[in-house]
Amino acid sequence: MTPAELSRTVLRSVRGAVEERELSVAVPARIVVQPPPRPGCGDYASNVALQLARQAGRPARDVAEILRKRLVGSAGIARVEIAGPGFLNFTLGDGASAGLVGEVLARGERYGQAPASGAAGPGRAGGPARYAGEWARAREVVAGEVLSRLGRDGAGTERPLDTGDGEVARLVARLGADEARWVLLKPAAHDPVRAPERPVQHEDNPRFRVQYAHARTRAMVRNAGELGFTGEPGDVTADAADGDVRVLQTLESALATYPTVTATAARRYAPDRVVRHLETTADAYLRWQEEFWPLPVGEQKPLAVHRARVALAEATGTVLGNGLRLLGISAPEHV
């Protein structure tokens, strides 16, 4: 079950409760589900009961219990729990990871594409005028390109950084186009730009780390092909310890929330959100790769779990590649 499918399932539960007069509320247009703020609280959470409580004239926990009873036993949901004042926490059943990976791979370069109607662009409220400081013009230009691509085709295409401005030209000459874009896009609107003296091709450099993680995902897919097998979405948790599973949940959460991040970046004219999300995704993948080595070792034959792990690596590469290209930064196959 993907986050979008879970959202629709919860929405159906609300609609059913209204139709059967368990709740007297207006059915919302959509329901947001997102990873819980703390580990151990399931795979996803929703505050829909808190949102509906006042309108229903009932305590949020009562509303949550009505919805919980309707959701228990739904396909793809293993457990539904109520937390705090009325949050619904969902633990997904077997196949949830496979569904997410399958969706990413099926959509490919379109995964994370924001609808054009939701995209911000130069001149719109909350647009480039938000940027201030020494690099204001350069950031406006680069952010405008990113948000324009977000609204038009999601993944976008790589294009050279406009170096017509003297300061930008000097920045590109010193750092290279990839690092210059990263430096200009990473800070939030009113935060200062801090450019290093020179780029460092090392994992201590977040931009390099994201590109390195992307290259590692592509290497895993190539290496699997050389061993005679390809990725196939499935269970990646065979023989995994609890700590390993937490690493996996972090990675899957990053993949699942990428479309939300791009949509929010477009709506709020905030490409820095994409930058930070790519860092989170890359860090999670590199940790996961250490714990869940995707390839057979020695004379071991490829198993279903190896196919599933290679598919997850490929899906991660899709997200990292889409995000890098969206920012106008190269997504290398080799590092």
Side-chain angles (χ1 to χ4, degrees):
M1 174 175 283
T2 67
E5 291 169 339
L6 177 58
S7 175
R8 290 193 291 269
T9 299
V10 179
L11 183 58
R12 285 195 296 270
S13 75
V14 174
R15 186 176 294 115
V18 170
E19 290 173 351
E20 296 182 18
R21 299 186 179 182
E22 288 185 282
L23 290 175
S24 179
V25 298
V27 179
R30 69 186 186 95
I31 289 173
V32 175
V33 297
Q34 55 191 4
R38 295 183 301 278
C41 296
D43 297 310
Y44 293 97
S46 176
N47 65 349
V48 60
L50 283 80
Q51 294 176 337
L52 298 177
R54 184 173 181 179
Q55 189 181 162
R58 306 179 66 166
R61 286 189 67 92
D62 288 356
V63 176
E65 178 60 21
I66 291 171
L67 300 180
R68 187 194 69 80
K69 289 179 179 178
R70 288 180 164 273
L71 289 162
V72 167
S74 297
I77 300 177
R79 189 166 65 252
V80 185
E81 298 172 306
I82 300 173
F87 291 98
L88 286 169
N89 289 348
F90 304 95
T91 299
L92 303 185
D94 294 340
S97 175
L100 170 63
V101 170
E103 180 185 17
V104 175
L105 296 180
R107 290 187 60 80
E109 290 188 357
R110 294 178 295 116
Y111 185 71
Q113 178 176 335
S117 60
R124 291 187 57 169
R130 296 176 63 214
Y131 288 90
E134 177 184 4
W135 298 99
R137 180 178 179 279
R139 295 173 75 179
E140 288 178 14
V141 171
V142 176
E145 288 182 8
V146 171
L147 273 298
S148 175
R149 282 197 297 278
L150 244 179
R152 185 170 63 252
D153 59 16
T157 56
E158 296 177 31
R159 63 179 68 178
L161 182 63
D162 180 4
T163 59
D165 181 271
E167 292 293 340
V168 177
R170 284 190 285 275
L171 187 69
V172 173
R174 190 170 89 242
L175 301 180
D178 281 355
E179 185 76 2
R181 277 186 177 274
W182 190 274
V183 164
L184 291 170
L185 290 171
K186 181 173 181 176
H190 298 293
D191 289 343
V193 172
R194 294 185 174 88
E197 288 302 316
R198 59 186 178 85
V200 179
Q201 299 296 93
H202 189 273
E203 287 187 50
D204 290 340
N205 179 340
R207 185 269 310 164
F208 176 80
R209 194 163 63 247
V210 172
Q211 291 177 313
Y212 173 72
H214 176 266
R216 291 303 306 151
T217 67
R218 303 308 303 153
M220 286 296 168
V221 175
R222 289 194 304 272
N223 292 342
E226 291 170 0
L227 292 173
F229 74 100
T230 59
E232 182 177 333
D235 180 15
V236 299
T237 60
D239 301 324
D242 290 343
D244 299 336
V245 171
R246 284 194 292 272
V247 171
L248 172 63
Q249 289 174 336
T250 301
L251 176 58
E252 290 179 339
S253 173
L255 302 187
T257 54
Y258 176 70
T260 302
V261 169
T262 57
T264 302
R267 188 173 63 253
R268 298 188 179 181
Y269 206 94
D272 53 285
R273 291 172 178 262
V274 179
V275 175
R276 291 194 296 274
H277 191 80
L278 291 180
E279 290 184 20
T280 297
T281 306
D283 289 344
Y285 175 76
L286 293 172
R287 290 196 303 272
W288 174 80
Q289 181 185 281
E290 292 180 1
E291 301 290 345
F292 292 77
W293 184 250
L295 302 176
V297 177
E299 299 299 318
Q300 185 181 21
K301 297 295 184 182
L303 304 174
V305 68
H306 297 123
R307 298 181 188 277
R309 290 173 181 173
V310 168
L312 179 55
E314 185 176 1
T316 303
T318 297
V319 169
L320 292 173
N322 288 356
L324 286 167
R325 286 187 291 270
L326 171 63
L327 300 176
I329 296 172
S330 62
E333 297 279 320
H334 305 269
V335 171

